[in-house]
Amino acid sequence: MNAEALRVENLTVTTAAGIEIVSGVDLTVREGELLGLLGETGAGKTMTARAILGLQPRGLRATGRVRFGDGEWISLAQPELLAKYLGRTAGLMLQNPMGAFDPIKRIGPQLIESVVHNGLMTKAEALARAAKLCRHLGLGDAESIFRLYPHQLSGGMSQRVALALTLMPAPKVLVVDEPTSALDANLRVEALKLVQSVARDDGTAIVLISHDLGLVSRFCDAIAVLYAGHLVEYGPTSELLHVAAHPYTATLISCSLRLDGPRRTALPTVGGEPPLPGHWPSGCYFHPRCPEARDRCSLERPTFVAGAERGVACHFARQEVRS
Ligand code: SF4
């Protein structure tokens, strides 16, 4: 089993008004593995990932703790401490790759300047790594890419160059936020193949944020499902897809468009709307939408029961998962 690259305990994000928008999330990712963070829009995926890196928006407070590799525990309430780990230990790839670049500088200098400036590599080492990453990411002739300005990159190229930029310092942990939203279906699969390949090669642990179960199930080793800011289920991808212990996960699976499946004219959806922060239902937050809800569900919030490999928060989860 690979060594642990990222462990997060009790991650909670609270607004200035005291409303919890992410509550008590625990996550573990091992070197070279991809963890898919799955859920509908507003489930807390991006907020969770940003808080891991101390990058939650101003006015929101994070608590809990995080550890990178076998390093010391760092309080999530101290983003100034986390800032020291950004870049060389932990990186973030955002939804808009063009935002990562200075529009008036060529790509080559932009790829190497941070690692050289921070003393992580000599200029020659940085150029060699940038060229290797460009090749690895299918960008072809690195010298040609280095000479381009950001506006000369196509959507697919800019996504790959943004990934190369993030991977330059060989971070232990990389958070990739909806990396493929700007790409068409074929390029989306190609981009995720590259992310997976680099993770295996460098031993980088990747947290992949997506609402696309088809992509997550194809590329991730494990899946963590968030609903209304709570972790409701996690487990190895193959097991979780085979037997979803939580009704929300099962509903997401039944609603997903399988990449290799038949084309459908209309996709089924999760009925109803997710609750807004501060307007949480009583009991289980999923009970107004849950096809398996019973009386107990509106009265009592289920606790998260964590096993060695799997965990679930549901009063009526399958027994074999809970043991
Ligand atoms: Fe559904 Fe009840 Fe389980 Fe919540 S606790 S997911 S409402 S069955």
Side-chain angles (χ1 to χ4, degrees), residues 246-248 284-288 290-294 297 300 302 313-317:
H246 196 283
Y248 179 59
C284 172
Y285 286 0
F286 188 54
H287 89 260
C290 181
E292 298 173 32
R294 304 176 210 178
C297 301
E300 189 185 330
C314 173
H315 295 310
F316 306 106

Side-chain angles (χ1 to χ4, degrees), residues 12 33 71 81 96 105 121 145-146 158-159 161 183 187 258 262 282 289-290 298 303:
T12 299
E33 291 186 351
L81 284 182
N96 173 17
K105 282 188 184 168
M121 296 175 202
I145 297 293
F146 291 173
S158 60
Q159 202 90 35
V161 176
L183 305 180
L187 284 175
R258 289 176 59 95
S282 60
R289 307 172 75 192
C290 181
S298 61
T303 53

Side-chain angles (χ1 to χ4, degrees), residues 37-169:
L37 218 50
L38 196 67
E40 294 166 286
T41 301
K45 307 183 298 292
T46 294
M47 199 59 66
T48 298
R50 283 180 163 267
I52 290 170
L53 305 176
L55 295 175
Q56 66 274 14
R58 194 182 291 265
L60 297 181
R61 176 178 152 72
T63 54
R65 61 182 192 165
V66 62
R67 187 171 70 186
F68 300 111
D70 58 359
E72 59 188 347
W73 284 103
I74 310 157
S75 167
L76 293 168
Q78 294 180 286
E80 68 279 4
L81 284 182
L82 282 165
K84 295 179 188 163
Y85 294 82
L86 270 182
R88 69 179 69 187
T89 301
L92 171 68
M93 186 181 166
L94 293 168
Q95 292 176 355
N96 173 17
M98 294 308 285
F101 302 110
D102 182 336
I104 60 169
K105 282 188 184 168
R106 293 183 194 273
I107 293 299
Q110 295 201 57
L111 281 176
I112 68 168
E113 67 185 358
S114 174
V115 291
V116 173
H117 177 76
N118 290 320
L120 299 178
M121 296 175 202
T122 65
K123 186 176 176 185
E125 288 168 340
L127 281 170
R129 176 155 174 86
K132 180 182 163 196
L133 284 171
C134 284
R135 279 196 306 278
H136 205 133
L137 294 169
L139 283 160
D141 176 26
E143 291 296 324
S144 305
I145 297 293
F146 291 173
R147 283 195 291 273
L148 297 177
Y149 287 95
H151 72 272
Q152 294 176 298
L153 301 173
S154 67
M157 286 169 77
S158 60
Q159 202 90 35
R160 291 169 192 223
V161 176
L163 185 56
L165 180 67
T166 314
L167 291 168
M168 274 299 292

Side-chain angles (χ1 to χ4, degrees), residues 190-204:
E190 285 308 308
L192 263 295
K193 275 184 188 166
L194 296 170
V195 169
Q196 187 184 48
S197 154
V198 171
R200 304 280 193 248
D201 209 43
D202 277 356
T204 300

Side-chain angles (χ1 to χ4, degrees), residues 163-185:
L163 185 56
L165 180 67
T166 314
L167 291 168
M168 274 299 292
K172 279 188 195 311
V173 174
L174 178 61
V175 174
V176 184
D177 190 355
E178 295 284 7
T180 57
S181 54
L183 305 180
D184 69 30

